[in-house]
Amino acid sequence: MNFSKGPKHEKKVGQALSPVRNRLSCLSFHCKGYCLTIERLMKIRDIRATTVTVPLEAPLRHANGCHWGRFVRTIVEVETDNGIVGLGEMGGGGESAEATFRAMKTYLVGHDPARLEEMRFLIANPTASLYNNRTQVLAALEFACLDILGQAWGVPVCDILGGRLRDRVPFAAYCFFRYPNPATGEGEVRTIDQLVNNARELKRRFGFTSHKLKAGVFPQDYELEAYKALAASLPGDRFRFDPNGVWSTEQAIRFGQAIEGIRNDYLEDPVYGLNGMRRTREMIRVPLATNTVVVNFEQLAANTLNTAVDVILLDTTFWGGIRPCVKAAAVCETFQIGVAVHSSGELGIQLATMLHLGVVIPNLSFAADAHYHHLTDDIIEGGMMRYENGAIRVPTGPGLGVKLNREKLLQYSDLYKRLGSYPYDQDPARPGWTPILPNERWADPNDRRFVRVPY
């Protein structure tokens, strides 16, 4: 509540409070020459969720199944009582995801979007949500609330998080084994020559100097040959390898020792579990990285006390938002553990969160991952973000710095309604197949059958 004498005094008070007043709704009353202003904080008025599916250049194969030629994402809009709309994004979707966000309205309507710590415990109390994990829901809502605050205060989210240390984030090429595009029959990556040619083309188009091979699809000896050929084809660049945790510890040790001559960033998740990673680390001279077995602070504490992993890949969804990733990066900085940014199939909204994270943490010592260059389109205004010499600039507009393209949102919402979801943990060419740990059910690199999937 503010008192001021006349317009002149009112102007001075308003100027002094402008950084705060931007996120306030104000009611002013005039009486006997005095202006009485009652200010109240913004409140969340509505939460909306829309599931979309956006096509990829080709279906992406991985150790646990396949992305069937598209990504399914849930776009979240959080609206305040003064009309600001913040954007969030979550992997997966459909009726269950949209219903979850509708349910969040009973928790959050009337809540101040600046009270993010209160929101964390309100919807993701660690004991209350044991049987209903809401971490990724929390992340999408946190993105949107930070977007609201940035818009209200007129600053980018990275300024709220401490300010940028760099203007852009470097990215690695994300090389996959791929099925051909269902519509054109092009884009297959199955043979070693196809892999090398695809990596060279990605470097030509986007300027990448780091290259990640997503593997665990074919027998280990074949993938070892492919990785060595990839490294030999791009001399001077850096490389990383990720079989998604499907090997035994003995297989991981054998592979890790065999690649020690390559200019490796790291070997990511060769086995599943901290103890298997620790055993592997004792026997090889390549740094180990993870995005699967250190994804919360309890696991980070365990890894810090008895190191099993050298590099933590921070994911703004897996960790529950941008701010937990900043906290985790600070722990890693303290104990000199490496940090990178993980990709979980993002569209432009989540990519923006990755960029705002990447520019504020001092210890980002590796190029970030991104599936983004596999997409054919996006749902943000201005189209897809641009790579410049292997990097993407952080948006400079207020909030996350991205806006929804409503026509694209409707287009890809309609596409989702027509195609539905797909089973991420299944391979469309191998009905009934399922991976085991450690896996022994490999795909055949000589299998040339054309795979038809809804597209």
Side-chain angles (χ1 to χ4, degrees), residues 299-379:
Q299 294 167 352
L300 182 57
N303 185 70
T304 302
L305 291 170
N306 189 3
T307 305
V309 179
D310 304 285
V311 182
I312 308 301
L313 276 67
L314 297 172
D315 187 302
T316 55
T317 59
F318 290 3
W319 282 79
I322 310 174
R323 296 179 320 119
C325 289
V326 174
K327 294 178 185 178
V331 174
C332 291
E333 179 188 2
T334 302
F335 291 95
Q336 298 189 12
I337 298 170
V339 166
V341 176
H342 180 253
S343 167
S344 51
E346 64 287 326
L347 301 180
I349 296 169
Q350 188 182 342
L351 180 63
T353 72
M354 296 158 62
L355 292 168
H356 285 283
L357 169 66
V359 298
V360 301
I361 53 178
N363 51 331
L364 182 64
S365 44
F366 299 95
D369 286 343
H371 290 78
Y372 195 67
H373 60 79
H374 289 279
L375 287 165
T376 62
D377 204 357
D378 204 345
I379 45 79

